[in-house]
Amino acid sequence: MATLRIVKYGDPILSKVARPVEKIDGEISRVVNDMFETMYAAPGVGLAAPQVGIPLRIVVLDESVREGRKDRPIALINPVIKRSSGLIAAVEGCLSIPGIYELVERAKEVVVEGLTPEGEEVTVEAKDMLARILQHEIDHLDGILFVDRLPPSRRMMLRRDLERIRRGSIE
């Protein structure tokens, strides 16, 4: 396994829609393992393949990282949100946008379908923090960053900080 470089705000891959994984093979398994290693090393609770420069629809997450553990890993290939309900606002951050944390409104509950790294179909029913992480990471697969979900006035206030991240002044 290897720790991959996390791309930062301003990298064009973060604003592009990722391609579906056509074939799950050893290469995809390696990518998933490397993504977990990278996420845990960061440390973060979720990571999408575009964040490590790979334009494929793969996400990894583990909400237990918030509690100092690594015991609830989830990897999804080609995930799709099938249902969502309720709305709740909470503060989010992103490994690709270091140092910025903002209040973002998202669905309180979601049902996500996808494939495991072994190619098995899986349905994840999630609420609260797990639902938020899934939505955040799936947004990355669609070229959407959490700052894109902020009101325009708030994005304007963050303009200077985002530009510093884009230039590489903030790691």
Side-chain angles (χ1 to χ4, degrees), residues 121-137:
E121 291 182 10
V122 65
T123 299
V124 179
E125 295 182 19
K127 62 182 182 177
D128 302 323
M129 182 54 71
L130 182 56
R132 177 168 299 278
I133 297 166
L134 281 163
Q135 291 169 86
H136 178 109
E137 299 310 330

Side-chain angles (χ1 to χ4, degrees), residues 35-93:
M35 286 176 62
F36 270 120
E37 184 166 324
T38 303
M39 179 190 74
Y40 288 135
V45 295
L47 189 67
Q51 290 182 273
V52 290
I54 300 169
L56 294 174
R57 298 187 75 78
I58 304 170
V59 299
V60 298
L61 52 133
D62 188 339
E63 69 177 322
S64 73
V65 171
R66 296 177 63 227
E67 299 146 9
R69 299 190 325 263
K70 300 175 185 174
D71 59 6
R72 292 195 300 266
I74 297 173
L76 293 172
I77 298 168
N78 300 332
V80 176
I81 297 172
K82 297 306 253 183
R83 286 192 314 273
S84 62
S85 63
L87 285 176
I88 189 165
V91 174
E92 288 187 25

Side-chain angles (χ1 to χ4, degrees), residues 11-163:
D11 189 302
I13 197 167
L14 294 175
S15 60
K16 293 186 174 142
V17 175
R19 295 186 321 269
V21 173
E22 300 291 332
K23 178 182 175 191
I24 298 175
D25 56 15
E27 177 64 17
I28 295 300
S29 293
R30 184 191 60 74
V31 167
V32 167
N33 290 333
D34 290 350
M35 286 176 62
F36 270 120
E37 184 166 324
T38 303
M39 179 190 74
Y40 288 135
V45 295
L47 189 67
Q51 290 182 273
V52 290
I54 300 169
L56 294 174
R57 298 187 75 78
I58 304 170
V59 299
V60 298
L61 52 133
D62 188 339
E63 69 177 322
S64 73
V65 171
R66 296 177 63 227
E67 299 146 9
R69 299 190 325 263
K70 300 175 185 174
D71 59 6
R72 292 195 300 266
I74 297 173
L76 293 172
I77 298 168
N78 300 332
V80 176
I81 297 172
K82 297 306 253 183
R83 286 192 314 273
S84 62
S85 63
L87 285 176
I88 189 165
V91 174
E92 288 187 25
C94 180
L95 295 173
S96 292
I97 309 175
I100 294 180
Y101 302 89
E102 291 290 326
L103 196 64
V104 178
E105 193 170 79
R106 294 202 185 263
K108 182 173 174 51
E109 298 181 22
V110 295
V111 175
V112 176
E113 293 178 356
L115 300 171
T116 67
E118 295 76 36
E120 303 287 325
E121 291 182 10
V122 65
T123 299
V124 179
E125 295 182 19
K127 62 182 182 177
D128 302 323
M129 182 54 71
L130 182 56
R132 177 168 299 278
I133 297 166
L134 281 163
Q135 291 169 86
H136 178 109
E137 299 310 330
I138 292 170
D139 268 0
H140 275 297
L141 303 181
D142 294 326
I144 300 167
L145 301 173
F146 84 94
V147 293
D148 297 332
R149 296 203 172 274
L150 299 175
S153 60
R154 188 65 194 140
R155 279 198 311 271
M156 279 299 279
M157 293 176 71
L158 295 171
R159 191 180 74 226
R160 187 177 307 137
D161 289 336
L162 292 171
E163 187 53 36

